Amino acid sequence: MNTLFDKIWDKHVVQNIEDGPTQLYIDRLYCHEVTTPQAFDTLRDKGIGVFRPQQVYAMPDPNTPSDQQEVINDPVGKKQVDTLAKNCKEFGITHFAMGTKDNGIIHVVGPEKALSLPGMTIVCGDSHTSTHGAVGALAMGIGTSEVAEVLASQCILQAKPKSMRINIEGELQKGVTAKDVALYIMAQMTTSGATGYAVEYAGSTIRNMSMEGRLTLSNLSIEMGSRAGIIAPDETTFAYLKGREYAPKGEEWDKAVEYWKTLKSDDDAVFDKEVTYKAEDIAPRITYGTNPGAGIAIDGTIPALNDIPEAEQAGFLSQLGYMQFQPGQKLEGTPVDYCFLGACTNGRIEDFRAFASVVKGRKKADSVVAWLVPGSWLVRKQIIEEGIDKILEEAGFELRLPSCSSCLAMNPDKVPAGKLSISTSNRNFVGRQGPGARTVLASPLVVAASAITGVITDPRKI
C-alpha cells in the first residue's frame, strides 16, 4: 500500500525523532554560488569538513552571463562565483566551472549527466530542485542552514510531507506542451494548492510524455506550493539515462534498472489527496498576472472582476495594475518587447527543436529582442550538431551561451522597466526579470510564434 514517495522516503530514513522531524539520508547535494557561501562559513566556524564530498556537485549558474563568459562585471556576482570555486577547492568538492563543457544550469546538468538517478534523495539550495523528480527521485529545495546540515552530515532534518497524486489522462492537442500542462494544473490548483504535499504525476498523458517534458513538469511543481514533484521511472526514463556520463555501466546498469522498476506506487496505494485532469481540456497557455497560477488559455480572456471572489479582488487588480492589463482583456495579439527561450524549465534540446520548428523559414520581428539561451554546454553542442543554430540564425536569432539568463535578474540579461517579456522561465513575479519588468510565461512554441509576429501568438495559427 506504499506510494512511490513513501518507498523512497522510507528507504532513506536514518531515524524518526519523536514529536519531531525525520533524519533523512541524502544521496546527492547540488550547490550553486548564491545559497552556499554561508553554509561553508558555518563549517569553518565549527571546524568541520564536508562529510562525503564525493556526493556533492557544484556549479555557478544564476550569475553567469550569456553574451560572454570571460568576465563577470557585477562585483557581487563575481564574488559569489569566485567564492564557490574557492570553497569547492578547499573542501574537495567537484566543481563545474563557468565556461567549461560540464557547466550549465544545475537543474539541467544533473539529469543530463545522470548525476540524478531514480530512487535518490536530492537536495539543493534552490526551489526548482523539484526538477530532478522527473527521473523518479525525491528532490527538494532547501535553505542555506539545511545546506550546511547536508555538507556536515549527508543528512537533513525534514518533516514528512503528505502525498498527492495528480493524474492527467488522454492525448495532448496539437501545439500543447508539458509547459502548458504545468500552467494548466497551477491555474486549477492555485499557487498554494499543493502546499505541504509531495506530488506524484501519473496517468496516460504523463506516461506518453518525453523525459524532457517530464523535467519541465517537475520543475514547476514548486510553483503550486508542493514540496516535491515525482514521476515513476519507466522505459522512457531508462532510455534517457542509459550511456550518460555518470549512469551505472554494464552489470551495474542491469542491477540498477531491476531496482528502478520497483519504484512505482502500489496498485492499492492510498494518497492523502488525488485529482484527475483531462488532456483534451488543455490548450496552449499564457499567464496574465504576477504568479504562475494566474493564467489562461492563449485564446481566452483575463477573468472579469465579478468572476473573482471578493476577498481576492484587491490582489487581482494589483497584479493587473503591475502588468498593465485589464479584467476581461484578451491578450492574444498584445505586442511583446522581449522573448526568452531557456531556464531550467525550458532550456533543453527538445525546447530548442520546438522553437526552431516554428521559426524555420520565417523572420524574427524587428520590434522584438530575443534571448535564446541553452541550459548547458551539452545542449548548446547538440543545437550546433543538429544544425538548429543555422535555422535560428537564418530567422534572425542569436544563440547565446549557457546561463540562467533572463529567468531572474542576477546577470546582464535584464528586461527594462515597463517592457513586456514572453518567457519560457518559471516565475513571473514582480521584478523577476528586472526591476519593473512585466513577464508572461509560456511554452517554447508560444514564445517562438510571438517572436516571429511581435505579438502574443497562438502557435496553432501559424
Side-chain angles (χ1 to χ4, degrees):
M1 292 179 57
N2 286 326
T3 68
L4 168 57
F5 166 72
D6 289 331
K7 290 180 179 181
I8 299 175
W9 179 279
D10 293 347
K11 190 176 176 65
H12 288 81
V13 170
V14 176
Q15 63 174 326
N16 289 305
I17 300 169
E18 191 174 347
D19 298 324
T22 301
Q23 184 184 16
L24 200 68
Y25 184 79
I26 299 302
D27 294 304
R28 184 80 71 222
L29 169 65
Y30 293 126
C31 296
H32 57 62
E33 73 272 30
V34 179
T35 56
T36 57
Q38 300 91 334
F40 284 109
D41 285 343
T42 299
L43 298 189
R44 287 192 194 91
D45 291 344
K46 295 183 180 298
I48 56 179
V50 175
F51 182 54
R52 290 190 171 163
Q54 72 276 14
Q55 291 173 227
V56 184
Y57 289 80
M59 67 200 76
D61 49 18
N63 283 295
T64 304
S66 73
D67 56 344
Q68 55 76 37
Q69 293 185 357
E70 300 300 318
V71 62
I72 296 175
N73 292 312
D74 174 56
V76 175
K78 183 179 187 308
K79 184 176 181 182
Q80 289 179 332
V81 170
D82 291 347
T83 300
L84 179 66
K86 176 176 170 249
N87 285 330
C88 288
K89 185 175 181 182
E90 179 181 343
F91 289 95
I93 291 169
T94 302
H95 175 237
F96 297 148
M98 186 177 80
T100 65
K101 68 176 180 61
D102 296 309
N103 183 251
I105 304 173
I106 207 161
H107 304 315
V108 174
V109 173
E112 76 179 10
K113 283 185 170 293
L115 283 165
S116 303
L117 294 171
M120 278 187 167
T121 48
I122 299 170
V123 294
C124 175
D126 181 280
S127 55
H128 293 105
T129 307
S130 57
T131 309
H132 307 266
V135 302
L138 174 55
M140 302 177 288
I142 58 175
T144 297
S145 61
E146 294 170 311
V147 172
E149 282 180 28
V150 180
L151 287 170
S153 68
Q154 209 57 41
C155 293
I156 193 171
L157 296 174
Q158 287 282 292
K160 187 177 181 179
K162 293 181 288 185
S163 63
M164 179 190 298
R165 182 158 60 189
I166 297 178
N167 304 292
I168 313 287
E169 300 288 355
E171 188 175 342
L172 294 175
Q173 301 176 46
K174 181 182 177 184
V176 177
T177 71
K179 181 64 164 289
D180 301 301
V181 174
L183 292 175
Y184 176 84
I185 293 171
M186 281 185 277
Q188 304 304 309
M189 298 277 299
T190 77
T191 50
S192 60
T195 300
Y197 291 90
V199 170
E200 179 181 343
Y201 298 101
S204 60
T205 309
I206 307 302
R207 290 193 295 274
N208 291 325
M209 195 175 278
S210 70
M211 197 63 226
E212 301 209 338
R214 296 177 188 186
L215 288 161
T216 295
L217 182 60
S218 294
N219 174 271
L220 287 156
S221 302
I222 190 67
E223 305 306 338
M224 55 185 181
S226 63
R227 197 71 189 87
I230 190 168
I231 297 171
D234 57 14
E235 294 302 327
T236 298
T237 318
F238 311 149
Y240 175 85
L241 293 171
K242 189 171 186 178
R244 292 184 182 266
E245 187 175 354
Y246 289 88
K249 305 292 190 295
E251 286 184 18
E252 291 303 312
W253 170 262
D254 295 335
K255 286 180 189 173
V257 171
E258 190 100 0
Y259 166 58
W260 294 343
K261 286 179 177 178
T262 69
L263 295 175
K264 57 185 177 181
S265 293
D266 296 334
D267 292 341
D268 55 356
V270 177
F271 292 80
D272 294 299
K273 185 174 182 179
E274 189 156 8
V275 293
T276 300
Y277 300 110
K278 295 178 182 177
E280 64 200 52
D281 294 337
I282 306 173
R285 306 279 300 180
I286 50 173
T287 60
Y288 61 81
T290 55
N291 71 68
I296 53 174
I298 193 167
D299 54 359
T301 58
I302 296 173
L305 186 59
N306 59 10
D307 291 332
I308 303 296
E310 189 173 346
E312 299 173 16
Q313 288 182 2
F316 172 70
L317 291 173
S318 175
Q319 289 190 60
L320 293 188
Y322 181 83
M323 290 299 295
Q324 300 175 30
F325 297 150
Q326 299 294 326
Q329 180 181 344
K330 188 178 177 69
L331 293 185
E332 192 178 2
T334 301
V336 296
D337 304 298
Y338 283 75
C339 291
F340 172 52
L341 172 66
C344 57
T345 317
N346 285 117
R348 298 176 183 84
I349 186 62
E350 187 176 281
D351 303 308
F352 279 81
R353 290 172 185 152
F355 189 97
S357 74
V358 174
V359 305
K360 186 175 183 178
R362 298 183 168 98
K363 290 289 183 184
K364 180 181 78 69
D366 292 337
S367 59
V368 167
V369 175
W371 290 322
L372 276 51
V373 186
S376 72
W377 282 93
L378 178 59
V379 173
R380 193 174 195 276
K381 181 171 178 279
Q382 288 175 288
I383 290 168
I384 294 167
E385 287 175 349
E386 295 182 18
I388 293 172
D389 60 322
K390 297 291 189 293
I391 295 171
L392 300 175
E393 187 180 340
E394 287 168 9
F397 296 94
E398 174 198 359
L399 179 65
R400 294 171 78 92
L401 304 179
S403 163
C404 288
S405 182
S406 186
C407 177
L408 75 174
M410 288 189 67
N411 56 72
D413 296 350
K414 296 179 179 67
V415 176
K419 297 295 185 181
L420 184 64
S421 166
I422 187 161
S423 172
T424 65
S425 51
N426 39 49
R427 287 182 170 164
N428 52 351
F429 299 166
V430 170
R432 172 76 175 183
Q433 289 192 287
R438 301 180 296 140
T439 302
V440 169
L441 300 179
S443 75
L445 294 177
V446 172
V447 172
S450 304
I452 293 299
T453 61
V455 299
I456 295 175
T457 299
D458 187 337
R460 298 172 297 184
K461 295 181 179 178
I462 63 168

